[in-house]
Amino acid sequence: MRLAKHLRRLAAVLLTALFAPAASADTPGDFDFYVLALSWSPAYCKQAGPDANPHQCKSANPFRFIVHGLWPQYERGYPESCDATRRRIDRQIAFDMDDIMPSHGLIFHQWRKHGTCSGLEPEDYFDLTRQAYKKVSIPKAFRTLSKRGQAAPQAIENAFKSVNPGLSNDAISIVCERGELEEIRICMTKDLEFRSCQSVDRSGCRSGKLTVSPPAPR
């Protein structure tokens, strides 16, 4: 008797799950702000080793900070893989972004996961990504680094704040991996003004000191 009752309940649960309405997809253009993620390319090249993208890691002019992505965000969480009219993008866009996003696979992935949620056409989304990249001044120490160094996450934040007026402590986050600087994340309004983002700031690296790897010598 108990077994039969259990089976009836299980069947009811399965039927409910089968015919329940699908969860609504994230809506393109419906978000609160952007996060511009800038990856420190030498860290990726070092960690990826022989599997690293050769175009990025064996360039005659070594990359330093590159664009990982421009991500639409909610105040908590983020939309992803929205139901946009264009899931695929013209390969020419990838060639045009090559100087700041030196991986075509990354560019295609960023459009599918994040760009589709911007409410923009691909050309406009990547144009906005370039504008966001140009908005951020890179501290001289990172533009000229030639040997391995160390810095605390707060010191890195302070360096960026010193050359980016209006950038506050709670608008920037440092991401680390295995004790190395991996990425800088900066929060921006839809008009690309710096803005606070406590949820992003709270997720930042908590290490005392980070290694900052230089570009590999050529």
Side-chain angles (χ1 to χ4, degrees):
M1 181 66 72
R2 288 183 179 177
L3 178 59
K5 187 175 182 180
H6 175 73
L7 290 175
R8 284 197 299 272
R9 286 180 177 174
L10 179 59
V13 169
L14 291 174
L15 285 171
T16 299
L18 182 62
F19 293 105
S24 58
D26 291 314
T27 303
D30 181 17
F31 62 96
D32 298 311
F33 63 97
Y34 285 112
V35 166
L36 174 67
L38 299 176
S39 292
W40 182 241
S41 183
Y44 158 73
C45 295
K46 176 183 174 183
Q47 292 172 7
D51 296 325
N53 177 356
H55 174 61
Q56 178 176 340
C57 298
K58 295 185 178 181
S59 171
N61 296 308
F63 290 97
R64 293 172 182 265
F65 277 112
I66 63 169
V67 175
H68 181 173
L70 183 67
W71 305 334
Q73 300 280 300
Y74 302 131
E75 295 298 342
R76 291 187 178 183
Y78 56 89
E80 62 178 305
S81 303
C82 294
D83 188 16
T85 54
R86 292 171 62 182
R87 299 289 297 175
R88 295 178 177 271
I89 63 174
D90 192 300
R91 186 168 291 275
Q92 185 59 47
I93 292 176
F95 287 111
D96 292 342
M97 294 295 290
D98 214 33
D99 59 321
I100 61 172
M101 295 182 77
S103 167
H104 290 190
L106 172 65
I107 291 169
F108 298 143
H109 171 75
Q110 289 299 308
W111 167 252
R112 290 191 301 270
K113 184 173 181 179
H114 300 288
T116 54
C117 296
S118 68
L120 301 173
E121 291 297 309
E123 295 82 0
D124 296 327
Y125 170 72
F126 284 104
D127 181 61
L128 189 70
T129 300
R130 184 176 291 279
Q131 290 179 48
Y133 175 78
K134 289 182 176 180
K135 173 84 177 183
V136 178
S137 296
I138 304 299
K140 182 179 179 181
F142 292 97
R143 291 186 280 112
T144 60
L145 185 73
S146 60
K147 61 182 181 179
R148 187 171 178 242
Q150 282 195 324
Q154 187 60 56
I156 296 172
E157 288 191 9
N158 290 342
F160 271 83
K161 288 192 302 177
S162 70
V163 294
N164 289 281
L167 184 63
S168 60
N169 272 332
D170 58 359
I172 180 172
S173 179
I174 308 301
V175 178
C176 57
E177 178 71 22
R178 304 175 201 170
E180 293 207 35
L181 170 65
E182 184 176 55
E183 193 161 274
I184 309 288
R185 294 178 182 171
I186 296 175
C187 300
M188 297 179 165
T189 67
K190 293 182 179 182
D191 294 325
L192 303 185
E193 298 297 326
F194 299 133
R195 59 99 79 189
S196 64
C197 51
Q198 294 184 2
S199 62
V200 176
D201 180 53
R202 284 195 296 265
S203 67
C205 178
R206 295 292 180 260
S207 296
K209 286 276 189 181
L210 297 179
T211 297
V212 184
S213 298
R218 293 289 169 263

Short mmCIF file of all heavy atoms in Angstrom, two decimals, residues 33 35 53 105 109 113 119 132 136 148 152-153 164 177 180 190 209:
data_model
loop_
_atom_site.label_atom_id
_atom_site.label_comp_id
_atom_site.label_asym_id
_atom_site.label_seq_id
_atom_site.Cartn_x
_atom_site.Cartn_y
_atom_site.Cartn_z
N PHE A 33 23.57 47.63 -15.07
CA PHE A 33 24.85 48.26 -15.37
C PHE A 33 25.76 47.26 -16.08
O PHE A 33 25.39 46.10 -16.28
CB PHE A 33 25.51 48.79 -14.09
CG PHE A 33 25.88 47.72 -13.08
CD1 PHE A 33 27.17 47.20 -13.02
CD2 PHE A 33 24.94 47.24 -12.17
CE1 PHE A 33 27.50 46.23 -12.08
CE2 PHE A 33 25.26 46.27 -11.23
CZ PHE A 33 26.55 45.77 -11.19
N VAL A 35 29.76 45.51 -16.37
CA VAL A 35 31.09 45.27 -15.82
C VAL A 35 32.05 45.10 -16.99
O VAL A 35 31.83 44.26 -17.87
CB VAL A 35 31.13 44.00 -14.93
CG1 VAL A 35 32.57 43.58 -14.67
CG2 VAL A 35 30.43 44.25 -13.61
N ASN A 53 46.69 30.41 -26.27
CA ASN A 53 46.43 30.92 -27.62
C ASN A 53 47.71 31.55 -28.17
O ASN A 53 48.19 32.55 -27.65
CB ASN A 53 45.31 31.97 -27.53
CG ASN A 53 45.01 32.63 -28.87
OD1 ASN A 53 45.67 32.38 -29.86
ND2 ASN A 53 44.00 33.49 -28.87
N GLY A 105 37.67 33.01 -30.63
CA GLY A 105 36.78 32.15 -29.85
C GLY A 105 36.18 32.89 -28.67
O GLY A 105 35.00 32.75 -28.35
N HIS A 109 32.19 33.76 -28.02
CA HIS A 109 31.60 33.33 -26.75
C HIS A 109 31.01 34.51 -26.00
O HIS A 109 29.90 34.42 -25.44
CB HIS A 109 32.65 32.64 -25.89
CG HIS A 109 32.20 32.35 -24.49
ND1 HIS A 109 31.32 31.34 -24.18
CD2 HIS A 109 32.51 32.97 -23.31
CE1 HIS A 109 31.10 31.33 -22.88
NE2 HIS A 109 31.81 32.31 -22.33
N LYS A 113 27.06 34.75 -24.77
CA LYS A 113 26.72 34.72 -23.35
C LYS A 113 26.31 36.09 -22.81
O LYS A 113 25.36 36.20 -22.02
CB LYS A 113 27.90 34.19 -22.53
CG LYS A 113 27.56 34.04 -21.05
CD LYS A 113 28.68 33.34 -20.28
CE LYS A 113 28.31 33.17 -18.81
NZ LYS A 113 29.37 32.46 -18.05
N GLY A 119 20.88 44.10 -25.57
CA GLY A 119 19.84 44.76 -26.33
C GLY A 119 20.38 45.47 -27.56
O GLY A 119 19.65 46.18 -28.25
N ALA A 132 34.30 51.40 -23.90
CA ALA A 132 34.52 51.15 -22.48
C ALA A 132 36.01 50.92 -22.19
O ALA A 132 36.55 51.42 -21.20
CB ALA A 132 33.70 49.94 -22.03
N VAL A 136 39.04 53.58 -19.77
CA VAL A 136 39.88 53.25 -18.61
C VAL A 136 41.35 53.52 -18.93
O VAL A 136 41.90 53.00 -19.90
CB VAL A 136 39.70 51.77 -18.21
CG1 VAL A 136 40.62 51.42 -17.05
CG2 VAL A 136 38.24 51.49 -17.85
N ARG A 148 58.97 40.40 -12.88
CA ARG A 148 57.96 39.94 -11.92
C ARG A 148 57.90 40.86 -10.71
O ARG A 148 58.93 41.26 -10.17
CB ARG A 148 58.32 38.52 -11.50
CG ARG A 148 57.31 37.82 -10.63
CD ARG A 148 57.73 36.37 -10.51
NE ARG A 148 56.82 35.63 -9.63
CZ ARG A 148 57.18 35.05 -8.50
NH1 ARG A 148 58.43 35.13 -8.09
NH2 ARG A 148 56.30 34.39 -7.79
N ALA A 152 49.66 44.35 -3.36
CA ALA A 152 48.41 44.02 -2.68
C ALA A 152 47.23 44.43 -3.56
O ALA A 152 47.33 45.40 -4.32
CB ALA A 152 48.35 44.74 -1.34
N PRO A 153 46.11 43.72 -3.48
CA PRO A 153 44.93 44.11 -4.27
C PRO A 153 44.55 45.57 -4.08
O PRO A 153 44.21 46.26 -5.04
CB PRO A 153 43.85 43.16 -3.76
CG PRO A 153 44.57 41.94 -3.32
CD PRO A 153 45.85 42.46 -2.74
N ASN A 164 42.20 57.41 -12.93
CA ASN A 164 40.83 57.38 -13.45
C ASN A 164 39.92 58.17 -12.52
O ASN A 164 39.30 57.61 -11.61
CB ASN A 164 40.33 55.93 -13.57
CG ASN A 164 41.00 55.16 -14.69
OD1 ASN A 164 40.66 55.31 -15.85
ND2 ASN A 164 41.98 54.34 -14.33
N GLU A 177 44.05 34.47 -9.12
CA GLU A 177 44.05 33.02 -9.31
C GLU A 177 45.42 32.49 -8.95
O GLU A 177 46.44 32.95 -9.49
CB GLU A 177 43.72 32.70 -10.77
CG GLU A 177 43.74 31.22 -11.12
CD GLU A 177 42.57 30.45 -10.53
OE1 GLU A 177 41.55 31.07 -10.20
OE2 GLU A 177 42.70 29.22 -10.38
N GLU A 180 48.07 35.05 -8.17
CA GLU A 180 48.49 35.96 -9.23
C GLU A 180 47.36 36.89 -9.63
O GLU A 180 46.18 36.51 -9.60
CB GLU A 180 48.95 35.17 -10.46
CG GLU A 180 50.20 34.37 -10.26
CD GLU A 180 50.97 34.17 -11.56
OE1 GLU A 180 50.97 35.09 -12.40
OE2 GLU A 180 51.56 33.10 -11.72
N LYS A 190 25.21 52.35 -18.10
CA LYS A 190 24.97 52.07 -19.52
C LYS A 190 25.57 53.16 -20.41
O LYS A 190 25.80 52.93 -21.59
CB LYS A 190 23.47 51.94 -19.78
CG LYS A 190 22.85 50.70 -19.12
CD LYS A 190 21.38 50.58 -19.46
CE LYS A 190 20.78 49.33 -18.82
NZ LYS A 190 19.35 49.14 -19.16
N LYS A 209 48.98 39.62 -0.83
CA LYS A 209 49.89 40.05 -1.88
C LYS A 209 49.65 39.21 -3.12
O LYS A 209 49.39 38.01 -3.03
CB LYS A 209 51.35 39.87 -1.44
CG LYS A 209 51.85 40.89 -0.43
CD LYS A 209 52.31 42.17 -1.12
CE LYS A 209 53.01 43.09 -0.14
NZ LYS A 209 53.45 44.35 -0.77
#
